[in-house]
């Protein structure tokens, strides 16, 4: 990919976005989707004179797509919190595809346009080899197996062959086979993977327990009624109420992690949203895009901390936290623009789930 886009101004940043997109569709988490593009692309961008804030913001922002594009762990948890037959994990996965792809395309367009308008942001490399058929063939050969894995995971869900849990097993098995084929699977890798997976799962369930306990206390003390009455008092009509809720979630993202917001806020506002007659899939995807911005908004933006790791932002790069904060601002704006587009064009989310459901009924 670096050879393919190397001669394009901003090409290395485009590669970082593409890697983030592929990881997003493979892992469903943010950590790997931020760290790996950062480790691969950031040294190359800094070496070629890219502006620090610009260079560090691209992998940081592209990695957040991992929490939106299927098979997103966040969408699975949101579906569990909604617990509604019209908005299961499969529906949310299908509803998130177009918004996720639109975000990825807009990221790439921003990178290319900004690099063209402001050449000092991303100077064109002088030693990049010209594009040839051999380079294109190498790129296709390197991405075909990961793409097949993505198709296997998402295709099994959308076709109804496997549930989201079963599809995750397919993905894990496929990843093991890829590692085995490339000679990277050994006892040490398996041990580290199992330990980290167990630890992460334990951390998540610890957060689940705390958030669930908080929700139970809140509800037993009349919290549901307080929230519902507050929403009813919002004087802007039903669509205005949705905007206020999303603004509140967006602001919460500055100080809370997405898991706490999902477990505490979403169950409280589910009934009012249903009462207003809105599609739960449509609202939940907007809710997810709001939560996605929480990974970029300081002071608790997790992507900002992932990229700040000394193994990614090496000390010799001279990148400070201020560079990261400044660099991600355009990407936050892009996310807000996509959120507004979803709000005004509900079909961006609802068309694909409705089409697949109709096709399944016709086939059944």
């Amino acid at each position: 990919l670096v050879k393919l886009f190397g001669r394009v101004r901003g090409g290395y940043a485009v590669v970082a976005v593409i890697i983030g997109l592929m990881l997003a569709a493979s892992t469903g988490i943010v950590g790997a989707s931020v760290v790996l593009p950062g480790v691969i692309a950031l040294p190359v961008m800094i070496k070629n004179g890219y502006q620090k804030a610009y260079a560090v913001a691209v992998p940081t922002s592209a990695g957040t797509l991992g929490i939106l594009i299927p098979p997103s762990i966040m969408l699975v948890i949101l579906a569990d919190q909604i617990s509604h037959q019209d908005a299961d994990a499969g529906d949310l996965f299908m509803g998130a595809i177009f918004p996720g792809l639109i975000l990825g395309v807009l990221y790439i367009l921003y990178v290319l346009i900004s690099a063209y308008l402001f050449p000092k942001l991303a100077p064109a490399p002088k030693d990049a080899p010209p594009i040839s058929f051999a380079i294109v063939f190498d790129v296709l050969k390197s991405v075909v197996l990961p793409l097949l894995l993505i198709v296997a995971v998402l295709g099994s869900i959308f076709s109804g062959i496997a549930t989201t849990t079963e599809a995750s097993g397919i993905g894990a098995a496929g990843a093991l086979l890829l590692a085995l084929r490339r000679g990277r699977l050994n006892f040490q890798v398996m041990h580290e993977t199992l330990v980290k997976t167990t630890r992460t799962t334990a951390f998540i369930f610890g957060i689940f327990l705390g958030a669930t306990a908080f929700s139970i206390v809140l509800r037993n003390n009349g919290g549901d009624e307080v929230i519902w009455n507050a929403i009813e008092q919002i004087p802007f009509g039903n669509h205005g109420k949705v905007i206020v809720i999303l603004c509140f979630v967006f602001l919460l993202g500055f100080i809370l992690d997405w898991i706490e917001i999902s477990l505490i806020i979403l169950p409280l506002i589910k009934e009012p949203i249903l009462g207003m007659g809105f599609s739960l899939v449509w609202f939940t995807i907007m809710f997810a895009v709001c939560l996605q911005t929480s990974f970029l908004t300081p002071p608790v933006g997790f992507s900002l901390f992932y990229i700040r790791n000394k193994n990614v932002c090496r000390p010799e790069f001279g990148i400070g936290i201020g560079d990261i904060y400044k660099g991600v601002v355009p990407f936050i704006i892009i996310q807000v623009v996509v959120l507004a587009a979803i709000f005004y064009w509900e079909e961006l989310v609802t068309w694909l789930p409705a089409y697949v459901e109709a096709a399944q009924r016709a086939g059944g």
Side-chain angles (χ1 to χ4, degrees), residues 3-43:
K3 293 180 180 179
L4 184 62
F5 292 96
R7 295 177 68 89
V8 179
R9 189 180 297 276
Y12 296 132
V14 172
V15 171
V17 176
I18 293 175
I19 293 174
L21 278 167
M22 293 182 64
L23 286 172
S26 305
T27 63
I29 58 175
V30 167
S33 302
V34 171
V35 171
L36 187 56
V39 169
I40 294 174
L42 189 55

Side-chain angles (χ1 to χ4, degrees), residues 35-84:
V35 171
L36 187 56
V39 169
I40 294 174
L42 189 55
V44 179
M45 288 190 281
I46 295 297
K47 178 183 176 182
N48 284 273
Y50 280 47
Q51 190 182 74
K52 295 177 182 178
Y54 179 86
V56 75
V58 174
T60 306
S61 305
T64 63
L65 296 172
I67 207 66
L68 180 65
I69 294 178
S72 163
I73 292 176
M74 179 173 72
L75 295 180
V76 174
I77 293 178
L78 293 181
D80 178 70
Q81 293 303 302
I82 293 172
S83 299
H84 197 279

Side-chain angles (χ1 to χ4, degrees), residues 74-242:
M74 179 173 72
L75 295 180
V76 174
I77 293 178
L78 293 181
D80 178 70
Q81 293 303 302
I82 293 172
S83 299
H84 197 279
Q85 61 181 1
D86 294 331
D88 60 21
D91 292 327
L92 295 185
F93 279 5
M94 288 182 282
I97 286 180
F98 287 146
L101 292 178
I102 290 171
L103 273 171
V105 170
L106 289 180
Y107 284 177
I108 292 174
L109 289 177
Y110 165 73
V111 165
L112 294 174
I113 294 172
S114 59
Y116 176 79
L117 295 178
F118 305 100
K120 291 184 178 180
L121 286 179
K126 300 178 181 179
D127 57 349
I131 299 175
S132 64
F133 176 78
I135 290 177
V136 175
F137 179 75
D138 287 341
V139 170
L140 293 176
K141 186 172 64 174
S142 63
V143 302
V144 63
L145 289 179
L147 288 178
L148 286 176
L149 177 60
I150 293 170
V151 170
V153 173
L154 298 183
S156 63
I157 295 173
F158 297 158
S159 63
I161 297 174
T163 64
T164 52
T165 304
E166 293 165 346
S168 66
I170 294 174
L176 286 173
L177 291 176
L178 287 179
L180 181 63
R181 183 181 182 276
R182 295 180 178 179
R184 298 179 181 178
L185 185 63
N186 52 47
F187 177 78
Q188 182 181 356
V189 170
M190 285 294 296
H191 178 266
E192 291 178 358
T193 301
L194 291 173
V195 169
K196 291 181 179 179
T197 300
T198 303
R199 185 179 299 158
T200 301
T201 304
F203 288 160
I204 291 175
F205 272 94
I207 296 173
F208 263 97
L209 290 172
T212 303
F214 179 85
S215 298
I216 291 173
V217 173
L218 182 65
R219 290 183 173 182
N220 288 342
N221 287 278
D224 285 0
E225 290 76 10
V226 172
I227 298 296
W228 297 346
N229 290 335
I231 293 175
E232 286 295 325
Q233 298 303 316
I234 298 175
F236 305 123
N238 287 344
H239 283 89
K241 292 175 182 178
V242 171

Side-chain angles (χ1 to χ4, degrees), residues 250-300:
F250 177 76
L251 294 176
L252 281 178
F254 281 80
I255 56 175
L256 290 176
D257 185 22
W258 69 270
I259 297 181
E260 290 92 335
I261 299 174
S262 302
L263 298 181
I264 296 172
I265 303 300
L266 189 58
L268 293 175
I269 60 177
K270 177 184 73 173
E271 295 302 327
I273 294 298
L274 282 173
M276 286 184 261
F278 292 122
S279 164
L280 271 180
V281 174
W282 171 70
F283 175 80
T284 306
I285 296 302
M286 290 195 296
F287 192 90
V289 175
C290 268
L291 294 179
Q292 184 188 359
T293 62
S294 71
F295 283 88
L296 293 178
T297 49
V300 191

Side-chain angles (χ1 to χ4, degrees), residues 103 250 289 293 330-342:
L103 273 171
F250 177 76
V289 175
T293 62
F331 293 94
I332 295 174
I333 294 173
I334 290 173
Q335 290 183 347
V336 173
V337 169
V338 171
L339 180 62
I342 297 172

